[in-house]
Each structure stands twice: as structure tokens, then as C-alpha cells.
């Protein structure tokens, strides 16, 4: 479970497996940069979920309190600054 109230300041990627993102409370926009370079944005509200595929860079935006459950293959996780 992760609580946040503002846009993330970095991107992250999980090279060892997929990540399930379940929004529990609030609303968030999940931004993905797929391995082939395409980009996608997914709006999530309570009860919604999305999958970050292996090797997909991702970050999130919100302007309200959010509680989300992240189920992650965390080995090898990398971060980079958001610009």
C-alpha cells in the first residue's frame, strides 16, 4: 500500500516482472512508457487496476490523496528523474 497526494517526482521500471496497480482510494493517472517507446496514460479510480508490463517505465499524477496497492516484482527496480 502506498499513499501519495501529489505527482511523483521520478519514473520507475521493474525489469524482473509485471506490476499490478490497484487504486483503493482517490483518483490517479498512471503514465507508462513501453519498451517500444510508445506512451500511454490510464486514469484509475477506486476499484480500478492496471498492469505495468515488465520493462515499462511508469510514473503517476494526482492532485488529491490516493491510496494504491502495488504488487511488484521488485528485484532490479530502477528509477530516473521525471522531467
Amino acid at each position: 500500500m502506498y499513499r501519495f497526494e501529489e505527482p511523483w517526482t521520478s519514473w520507475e521500471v521493474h525489469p524482473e516482472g509485471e506490476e499490478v496497480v490497484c487504486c483503493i482510494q482517490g483518483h490517479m493517472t498512471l503514465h507508462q512508457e513501453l519498451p517500444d517507446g510508445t506512451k500511454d496514460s490510464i486514469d484509475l479510480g477506486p476499484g480500478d487496476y492496471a498492469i505495468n508490463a515488465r520493462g515499462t517505465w511508469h510514473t503517476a499524477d494526482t492532485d488529491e490523496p490516493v491510496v494504491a496497492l502495488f504488487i511488484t516484482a521488485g528485484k532490479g527496480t530502477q528509477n530516473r528523474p521525471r522531467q
Side-chain angles (χ1 to χ4, degrees):
M1 297 284 266
Y2 181 58
R3 299 173 191 273
F4 57 101
E5 298 182 10
E6 56 191 26
W8 294 6
T9 58
S10 64
W11 289 82
E12 67 178 19
V13 65
H14 310 292
E16 297 296 323
E18 284 67 37
E19 175 179 53
V20 178
V21 180
C22 301
C23 185
I24 307 299
Q25 174 186 333
H27 293 86
M28 62 185 279
T29 302
L30 180 67
H31 303 286
Q32 299 175 327
E33 184 180 291
L34 290 91
D36 68 3
T38 59
K39 297 181 179 178
D40 195 13
S41 294
I42 304 163
D43 292 323
L44 301 174
D48 295 335
Y49 75 94
I51 305 288
N52 289 318
R54 176 188 311 245
T56 298
W57 284 95
H58 53 279
T59 191
D61 284 327
T62 190
D63 58 4
E64 65 180 274
V66 171
V67 177
L69 173 66
F70 295 84
I71 303 170
T72 307
K75 184 178 179 183
T77 295
Q78 300 169 33
N79 296 91
R80 71 177 192 213
R82 190 170 178 187
Q83 298 184 17

